[in-house]
Amino acid sequence: MKILILIFLGLFFNLCISKSFKVPYKVYNFLPTQPGFNLNYSKYAWDESIKNTGLVKAQLNPITHKPEYCCENKPFNYIANQNEFDQSFKETQGVTKTVINTFNFDTQAYGYVSYIGSENPFIPVDEKGWNEGIEGENPYWCIEGHYKFKYEPKKDYIKYFEFFGSGDCSVFIDGKLAIEFSGVVIDNESTVDISTLNLQVGNSYTFDYFMCQRFDEPNQYISFITPFFFECNNIPGVNDDVCPPKCDVEKDCNDNNPCTVDACPSPSIIIPPNESISNYCTHTQVKCNESPNKCKQNTCNIKNGKCEASSKTCPPKPLLGVLRIGVVCQPYKCEPSSGNCIIDSSKSPLSQLLCSI
C-alpha cells in the first residue's frame, strides 16, 4: 500500500521560499509478542463495536505528562487494562527499546510547514530498536512528542488546527485533549477552531502528541496543519534525552574570551543525549572597523574586548653581517596604502648599525 505522510506544523515565518528544520521525537519500540501489539488491526476497521474516542482522559497527567487510560482495569477496544495501556509510553527493560528520531520539515508560506514521506509506510524504527542492524519491517511502536508555542496569530495565517491520522492518536493543547482517535484503521480527520481553545495572545502553551501502531501491516498516516510555531519543550525527567534544556549563553557558551561573540546552537541542531550544549555553541571573532591606513589597524584587545589601533613595525634588514649579526642595516617602514614593509629612504643605512640576520 502506498502511504503518503504529511505533517504540517505551524511557524511564524513570512516565507515565500522553503527553509528546512528538524523536530525531534521519541519512539518506543515493542516486541511483536508484547500484549497490546501484534493485533490484526484491520478487522476493527468496520466493526461498529469499536469506539473511536474515549480511550484517554480529557486532561494530560500533569506529573507524568502522559495520557491517562480511561477505564482502569476494564478493557477498551483492543486494550485489556490500564497496565497494558501505560506500557505504551514507558521505557521497560525487556519490553521496549527507545529510539530518538527526527522529522525534517520544509517551511512554506501562509504559516505552515510540511514533511512529506516516501511512498513506503511510515516506520520510524526500521533497522533500529529491536531490529538493530536487521532488515525488514519493524511495525510495533509508539511515538511521543512534547512541544511548546507562543500564541501570536497573524492576519493572513490559518485560523484552525487540523489533524489527519489513523490508528491510536491523541493531541493535547495546553494539557487539554483537543483531538483523539482511539484506534480504527480507517483514516480520520478532525478540525479545531483555534478561537475555541481560549488561548491568550502573547502567552505560551504546550502541545503534546502521542500515537501508536499496534498492528502487523504498517499503515500509519499523519498530517498536522496549524499556524503555531513549535519548539521542543524540555520537561525534566520526561524528555531530557530528546529535548535538551534551553541554552543560556552566559552559562553554557561563555569561552571567557572577550574578543569572541558567543552564541547558543541553532534550534535546528539536534544535540545527542548525554552530550553538552557547550560543544555545539559558536564563537565568532569580533570584527573591528578597518582603517584606511593599513599600518594602523584596529584589533581586539583580549584584555578588555575593545577594538584598539595598533601600529605595524618593520624591522631593519642587514646589508653587511658578521657571525649572524648585521653590522650595517637598512631601515624599513610601513607603507600606509598597502601595509607592506618598504625601504625607508629618508634614513641612512648608517643610522642603525646592529640588527638580526
Side-chain angles (χ1 to χ4, degrees), residues 312-340:
K312 181 177 179 179
T313 58
C314 296
K317 295 183 180 180
L319 295 177
L320 178 63
V322 177
L323 297 177
R324 302 188 63 80
I325 297 177
V327 294
V328 178
C329 304
Q330 174 66 61
Y332 274 71
K333 66 178 181 180
C334 181
E335 183 181 49
S337 61
S338 67
N340 296 328

PDB file of all heavy atoms in Angstrom, residues 312-340:
ATOM      1  N   LYS A 312      51.901  48.809  12.909  1.00  0.00           N
ATOM      2  CA  LYS A 312      52.769  47.764  12.402  1.00  0.00           C
ATOM      3  C   LYS A 312      54.208  48.270  12.360  1.00  0.00           C
ATOM      4  O   LYS A 312      54.475  49.369  11.892  1.00  0.00           O
ATOM      5  CB  LYS A 312      52.333  47.354  10.994  1.00  0.00           C
ATOM      6  CG  LYS A 312      53.185  46.249  10.393  1.00  0.00           C
ATOM      7  CD  LYS A 312      52.650  45.834   9.019  1.00  0.00           C
ATOM      8  CE  LYS A 312      53.514  44.731   8.410  1.00  0.00           C
ATOM      9  NZ  LYS A 312      52.987  44.313   7.092  1.00  0.00           N
ATOM     10  N   THR A 313      55.118  47.486  12.884  1.00  0.00           N
ATOM     11  CA  THR A 313      56.542  47.853  12.867  1.00  0.00           C
ATOM     12  C   THR A 313      57.278  47.039  11.820  1.00  0.00           C
ATOM     13  O   THR A 313      56.961  45.871  11.592  1.00  0.00           O
ATOM     14  CB  THR A 313      57.174  47.619  14.244  1.00  0.00           C
ATOM     15  OG1 THR A 313      57.026  46.242  14.615  1.00  0.00           O
ATOM     16  CG2 THR A 313      56.501  48.495  15.308  1.00  0.00           C
ATOM     17  N   CYS A 314      58.244  47.662  11.196  1.00  0.00           N
ATOM     18  CA  CYS A 314      59.051  46.990  10.167  1.00  0.00           C
ATOM     19  C   CYS A 314      60.512  46.963  10.615  1.00  0.00           C
ATOM     20  O   CYS A 314      61.173  48.026  10.645  1.00  0.00           O
ATOM     21  CB  CYS A 314      58.928  47.720   8.826  1.00  0.00           C
ATOM     22  SG  CYS A 314      57.245  47.685   8.141  1.00  0.00           S
ATOM     23  N   PRO A 315      61.041  45.842  10.997  1.00  0.00           N
ATOM     24  CA  PRO A 315      62.424  45.760  11.468  1.00  0.00           C
ATOM     25  C   PRO A 315      63.421  46.012  10.333  1.00  0.00           C
ATOM     26  O   PRO A 315      63.134  45.713   9.159  1.00  0.00           O
ATOM     27  CB  PRO A 315      62.528  44.340  12.007  1.00  0.00           C
ATOM     28  CG  PRO A 315      61.506  43.575  11.242  1.00  0.00           C
ATOM     29  CD  PRO A 315      60.388  44.530  11.012  1.00  0.00           C
ATOM     30  N   PRO A 316      64.601  46.564  10.652  1.00  0.00           N
ATOM     31  CA  PRO A 316      65.638  46.782   9.629  1.00  0.00           C
ATOM     32  C   PRO A 316      66.200  45.463   9.129  1.00  0.00           C
ATOM     33  O   PRO A 316      66.132  44.441   9.815  1.00  0.00           O
ATOM     34  CB  PRO A 316      66.690  47.602  10.371  1.00  0.00           C
ATOM     35  CG  PRO A 316      66.505  47.230  11.801  1.00  0.00           C
ATOM     36  CD  PRO A 316      65.037  47.003  11.976  1.00  0.00           C
ATOM     37  N   LYS A 317      66.743  45.500   7.904  1.00  0.00           N
ATOM     38  CA  LYS A 317      67.352  44.309   7.327  1.00  0.00           C
ATOM     39  C   LYS A 317      68.845  44.552   7.131  1.00  0.00           C
ATOM     40  O   LYS A 317      69.265  45.646   6.742  1.00  0.00           O
ATOM     41  CB  LYS A 317      66.684  43.966   5.999  1.00  0.00           C
ATOM     42  CG  LYS A 317      65.214  43.580   6.147  1.00  0.00           C
ATOM     43  CD  LYS A 317      64.611  43.187   4.803  1.00  0.00           C
ATOM     44  CE  LYS A 317      63.147  42.796   4.966  1.00  0.00           C
ATOM     45  NZ  LYS A 317      62.537  42.398   3.674  1.00  0.00           N
ATOM     46  N   PRO A 318      69.678  43.551   7.397  1.00  0.00           N
ATOM     47  CA  PRO A 318      71.142  43.726   7.323  1.00  0.00           C
ATOM     48  C   PRO A 318      71.644  43.900   5.889  1.00  0.00           C
ATOM     49  O   PRO A 318      71.174  43.231   4.969  1.00  0.00           O
ATOM     50  CB  PRO A 318      71.665  42.450   7.956  1.00  0.00           C
ATOM     51  CG  PRO A 318      70.598  41.437   7.712  1.00  0.00           C
ATOM     52  CD  PRO A 318      69.301  42.182   7.800  1.00  0.00           C
ATOM     53  N   LEU A 319      72.568  44.825   5.729  1.00  0.00           N
ATOM     54  CA  LEU A 319      73.288  44.973   4.463  1.00  0.00           C
ATOM     55  C   LEU A 319      74.649  44.286   4.542  1.00  0.00           C
ATOM     56  O   LEU A 319      75.186  43.802   3.554  1.00  0.00           O
ATOM     57  CB  LEU A 319      73.487  46.462   4.138  1.00  0.00           C
ATOM     58  CG  LEU A 319      72.196  47.257   3.863  1.00  0.00           C
ATOM     59  CD1 LEU A 319      72.539  48.728   3.633  1.00  0.00           C
ATOM     60  CD2 LEU A 319      71.473  46.690   2.651  1.00  0.00           C
ATOM     61  N   LEU A 320      75.205  44.269   5.746  1.00  0.00           N
ATOM     62  CA  LEU A 320      76.511  43.643   5.974  1.00  0.00           C
ATOM     63  C   LEU A 320      76.453  42.955   7.333  1.00  0.00           C
ATOM     64  O   LEU A 320      76.092  43.578   8.331  1.00  0.00           O
ATOM     65  CB  LEU A 320      77.639  44.688   5.952  1.00  0.00           C
ATOM     66  CG  LEU A 320      79.059  44.163   6.232  1.00  0.00           C
ATOM     67  CD1 LEU A 320      79.489  43.175   5.153  1.00  0.00           C
ATOM     68  CD2 LEU A 320      80.047  45.341   6.320  1.00  0.00           C
ATOM     69  N   GLY A 321      76.809  41.675   7.355  1.00  0.00           N
ATOM     70  CA  GLY A 321      76.718  40.942   8.598  1.00  0.00           C
ATOM     71  C   GLY A 321      77.961  40.154   8.919  1.00  0.00           C
ATOM     72  O   GLY A 321      78.702  39.730   8.040  1.00  0.00           O
ATOM     73  N   VAL A 322      78.175  39.945  10.217  1.00  0.00           N
ATOM     74  CA  VAL A 322      79.287  39.146  10.722  1.00  0.00           C
ATOM     75  C   VAL A 322      78.757  38.264  11.841  1.00  0.00           C
ATOM     76  O   VAL A 322      78.116  38.771  12.786  1.00  0.00           O
ATOM     77  CB  VAL A 322      80.431  40.041  11.251  1.00  0.00           C
ATOM     78  CG1 VAL A 322      81.538  39.170  11.840  1.00  0.00           C
ATOM     79  CG2 VAL A 322      80.974  40.928  10.156  1.00  0.00           C
ATOM     80  N   LEU A 323      79.013  36.950  11.733  1.00  0.00           N
ATOM     81  CA  LEU A 323      78.587  35.994  12.772  1.00  0.00           C
ATOM     82  C   LEU A 323      77.087  36.139  13.086  1.00  0.00           C
ATOM     83  O   LEU A 323      76.667  36.221  14.228  1.00  0.00           O
ATOM     84  CB  LEU A 323      79.412  36.196  14.049  1.00  0.00           C
ATOM     85  CG  LEU A 323      80.924  35.946  13.918  1.00  0.00           C
ATOM     86  CD1 LEU A 323      81.627  36.254  15.238  1.00  0.00           C
ATOM     87  CD2 LEU A 323      81.188  34.516  13.475  1.00  0.00           C
ATOM     88  N   ARG A 324      76.287  36.202  11.998  1.00  0.00           N
ATOM     89  CA  ARG A 324      74.817  36.253  12.096  1.00  0.00           C
ATOM     90  C   ARG A 324      74.317  37.519  12.794  1.00  0.00           C
ATOM     91  O   ARG A 324      73.227  37.566  13.363  1.00  0.00           O
ATOM     92  CB  ARG A 324      74.245  35.013  12.805  1.00  0.00           C
ATOM     93  CG  ARG A 324      74.626  33.690  12.119  1.00  0.00           C
ATOM     94  CD  ARG A 324      73.888  32.533  12.732  1.00  0.00           C
ATOM     95  NE  ARG A 324      72.440  32.671  12.540  1.00  0.00           N
ATOM     96  CZ  ARG A 324      71.798  32.355  11.399  1.00  0.00           C
ATOM     97  NH1 ARG A 324      72.480  31.904  10.361  1.00  0.00           N
ATOM     98  NH2 ARG A 324      70.489  32.501  11.309  1.00  0.00           N
ATOM     99  N   ILE A 325      75.126  38.556  12.779  1.00  0.00           N
ATOM    100  CA  ILE A 325      74.707  39.854  13.297  1.00  0.00           C
ATOM    101  C   ILE A 325      74.917  40.892  12.216  1.00  0.00           C
ATOM    102  O   ILE A 325      76.004  40.980  11.625  1.00  0.00           O
ATOM    103  CB  ILE A 325      75.507  40.240  14.552  1.00  0.00           C
ATOM    104  CG1 ILE A 325      75.247  39.233  15.687  1.00  0.00           C
ATOM    105  CG2 ILE A 325      75.140  41.647  15.013  1.00  0.00           C
ATOM    106  CD1 ILE A 325      76.060  39.511  16.925  1.00  0.00           C
ATOM    107  N   GLY A 326      73.894  41.667  11.930  1.00  0.00           N
ATOM    108  CA  GLY A 326      74.019  42.726  10.944  1.00  0.00           C
ATOM    109  C   GLY A 326      74.744  43.920  11.553  1.00  0.00           C
ATOM    110  O   GLY A 326      74.335  44.434  12.588  1.00  0.00           O
ATOM    111  N   VAL A 327      75.825  44.323  10.908  1.00  0.00           N
ATOM    112  CA  VAL A 327      76.581  45.474  11.423  1.00  0.00           C
ATOM    113  C   VAL A 327      76.244  46.742  10.652  1.00  0.00           C
ATOM    114  O   VAL A 327      76.499  47.850  11.128  1.00  0.00           O
ATOM    115  CB  VAL A 327      78.101  45.195  11.384  1.00  0.00           C
ATOM    116  CG1 VAL A 327      78.450  44.073  12.354  1.00  0.00           C
ATOM    117  CG2 VAL A 327      78.556  44.823   9.979  1.00  0.00           C
ATOM    118  N   VAL A 328      75.742  46.615   9.426  1.00  0.00           N
ATOM    119  CA  VAL A 328      75.220  47.742   8.657  1.00  0.00           C
ATOM    120  C   VAL A 328      73.802  47.356   8.229  1.00  0.00           C
ATOM    121  O   VAL A 328      73.605  46.333   7.574  1.00  0.00           O
ATOM    122  CB  VAL A 328      76.090  48.062   7.419  1.00  0.00           C
ATOM    123  CG1 VAL A 328      75.467  49.211   6.639  1.00  0.00           C
ATOM    124  CG2 VAL A 328      77.514  48.399   7.834  1.00  0.00           C
ATOM    125  N   CYS A 329      72.792  48.143   8.615  1.00  0.00           N
ATOM    126  CA  CYS A 329      71.392  47.746   8.436  1.00  0.00           C
ATOM    127  C   CYS A 329      70.617  48.797   7.651  1.00  0.00           C
ATOM    128  O   CYS A 329      70.832  49.995   7.814  1.00  0.00           O
ATOM    129  CB  CYS A 329      70.726  47.539   9.796  1.00  0.00           C
ATOM    130  SG  CYS A 329      71.593  46.341  10.847  1.00  0.00           S
ATOM    131  N   GLN A 330      69.725  48.305   6.810  1.00  0.00           N
ATOM    132  CA  GLN A 330      68.855  49.184   6.023  1.00  0.00           C
ATOM    133  C   GLN A 330      67.525  49.375   6.766  1.00  0.00           C
ATOM    134  O   GLN A 330      66.794  48.417   7.016  1.00  0.00           O
ATOM    135  CB  GLN A 330      68.586  48.584   4.652  1.00  0.00           C
ATOM    136  CG  GLN A 330      67.572  49.345   3.811  1.00  0.00           C
ATOM    137  CD  GLN A 330      68.075  50.719   3.435  1.00  0.00           C
ATOM    138  OE1 GLN A 330      69.101  50.858   2.769  1.00  0.00           O
ATOM    139  NE2 GLN A 330      67.357  51.764   3.856  1.00  0.00           N
ATOM    140  N   PRO A 331      67.157  50.575   7.165  1.00  0.00           N
ATOM    141  CA  PRO A 331      65.868  50.827   7.825  1.00  0.00           C
ATOM    142  C   PRO A 331      64.692  50.582   6.869  1.00  0.00           C
ATOM    143  O   PRO A 331      64.775  50.866   5.670  1.00  0.00           O
ATOM    144  CB  PRO A 331      65.952  52.290   8.229  1.00  0.00           C
ATOM    145  CG  PRO A 331      67.413  52.613   8.214  1.00  0.00           C
ATOM    146  CD  PRO A 331      67.991  51.778   7.113  1.00  0.00           C
ATOM    147  N   TYR A 332      63.606  50.057   7.410  1.00  0.00           N
ATOM    148  CA  TYR A 332      62.358  49.849   6.655  1.00  0.00           C
ATOM    149  C   TYR A 332      61.212  50.549   7.380  1.00  0.00           C
ATOM    150  O   TYR A 332      61.284  50.799   8.585  1.00  0.00           O
ATOM    151  CB  TYR A 332      62.052  48.349   6.537  1.00  0.00           C
ATOM    152  CG  TYR A 332      62.739  47.683   5.370  1.00  0.00           C
ATOM    153  CD1 TYR A 332      64.114  47.472   5.370  1.00  0.00           C
ATOM    154  CD2 TYR A 332      62.000  47.274   4.258  1.00  0.00           C
ATOM    155  CE1 TYR A 332      64.750  46.868   4.306  1.00  0.00           C
ATOM    156  CE2 TYR A 332      62.624  46.660   3.181  1.00  0.00           C
ATOM    157  CZ  TYR A 332      63.997  46.463   3.195  1.00  0.00           C
ATOM    158  OH  TYR A 332      64.605  45.869   2.138  1.00  0.00           O
ATOM    159  N   LYS A 333      60.180  50.845   6.635  1.00  0.00           N
ATOM    160  CA  LYS A 333      58.990  51.468   7.204  1.00  0.00           C
ATOM    161  C   LYS A 333      57.735  50.845   6.588  1.00  0.00           C
ATOM    162  O   LYS A 333      57.793  50.176   5.550  1.00  0.00           O
ATOM    163  CB  LYS A 333      59.003  52.970   6.948  1.00  0.00           C
ATOM    164  CG  LYS A 333      58.874  53.348   5.471  1.00  0.00           C
ATOM    165  CD  LYS A 333      58.831  54.861   5.275  1.00  0.00           C
ATOM    166  CE  LYS A 333      58.685  55.218   3.789  1.00  0.00           C
ATOM    167  NZ  LYS A 333      58.638  56.691   3.587  1.00  0.00           N
ATOM    168  N   CYS A 334      56.591  51.062   7.238  1.00  0.00           N
ATOM    169  CA  CYS A 334      55.317  50.515   6.754  1.00  0.00           C
ATOM    170  C   CYS A 334      54.679  51.499   5.783  1.00  0.00           C
ATOM    171  O   CYS A 334      54.572  52.696   6.055  1.00  0.00           O
ATOM    172  CB  CYS A 334      54.369  50.245   7.921  1.00  0.00           C
ATOM    173  SG  CYS A 334      52.773  49.525   7.411  1.00  0.00           S
ATOM    174  N   GLU A 335      54.237  50.966   4.628  1.00  0.00           N
ATOM    175  CA  GLU A 335      53.554  51.782   3.624  1.00  0.00           C
ATOM    176  C   GLU A 335      52.058  51.813   3.932  1.00  0.00           C
ATOM    177  O   GLU A 335      51.386  50.772   3.885  1.00  0.00           O
ATOM    178  CB  GLU A 335      53.787  51.199   2.234  1.00  0.00           C
ATOM    179  CG  GLU A 335      53.161  52.031   1.119  1.00  0.00           C
ATOM    180  CD  GLU A 335      53.384  51.400  -0.240  1.00  0.00           C
ATOM    181  OE1 GLU A 335      53.127  50.180  -0.379  1.00  0.00           O
ATOM    182  OE2 GLU A 335      53.822  52.116  -1.161  1.00  0.00           O
ATOM    183  N   PRO A 336      51.456  52.970   4.262  1.00  0.00           N
ATOM    184  CA  PRO A 336      50.051  53.057   4.695  1.00  0.00           C
ATOM    185  C   PRO A 336      49.052  52.489   3.703  1.00  0.00           C
ATOM    186  O   PRO A 336      48.034  51.918   4.094  1.00  0.00           O
ATOM    187  CB  PRO A 336      49.841  54.557   4.893  1.00  0.00           C
ATOM    188  CG  PRO A 336      51.209  55.088   5.176  1.00  0.00           C
ATOM    189  CD  PRO A 336      52.133  54.271   4.327  1.00  0.00           C
ATOM    190  N   SER A 337      49.305  52.630   2.410  1.00  0.00           N
ATOM    191  CA  SER A 337      48.320  52.199   1.418  1.00  0.00           C
ATOM    192  C   SER A 337      48.248  50.685   1.270  1.00  0.00           C
ATOM    193  O   SER A 337      47.200  50.144   0.933  1.00  0.00           O
ATOM    194  CB  SER A 337      48.633  52.830   0.052  1.00  0.00           C
ATOM    195  OG  SER A 337      49.924  52.409  -0.398  1.00  0.00           O
ATOM    196  N   SER A 338      49.381  49.996   1.502  1.00  0.00           N
ATOM    197  CA  SER A 338      49.414  48.546   1.300  1.00  0.00           C
ATOM    198  C   SER A 338      49.642  47.762   2.581  1.00  0.00           C
ATOM    199  O   SER A 338      49.304  46.582   2.668  1.00  0.00           O
ATOM    200  CB  SER A 338      50.500  48.173   0.296  1.00  0.00           C
ATOM    201  OG  SER A 338      51.795  48.453   0.839  1.00  0.00           O
ATOM    202  N   GLY A 339      50.249  48.392   3.575  1.00  0.00           N
ATOM    203  CA  GLY A 339      50.606  47.673   4.794  1.00  0.00           C
ATOM    204  C   GLY A 339      51.882  46.875   4.645  1.00  0.00           C
ATOM    205  O   GLY A 339      52.269  46.135   5.556  1.00  0.00           O
ATOM    206  N   ASN A 340      52.570  47.023   3.504  1.00  0.00           N
ATOM    207  CA  ASN A 340      53.819  46.295   3.280  1.00  0.00           C
ATOM    208  C   ASN A 340      54.999  47.072   3.865  1.00  0.00           C
ATOM    209  O   ASN A 340      54.969  48.301   4.002  1.00  0.00           O
ATOM    210  CB  ASN A 340      54.048  46.081   1.776  1.00  0.00           C
ATOM    211  CG  ASN A 340      52.974  45.208   1.153  1.00  0.00           C
ATOM    212  OD1 ASN A 340      52.436  44.313   1.814  1.00  0.00           O
ATOM    213  ND2 ASN A 340      52.654  45.466  -0.118  1.00  0.00           N
TER     214      ASN A 340
END
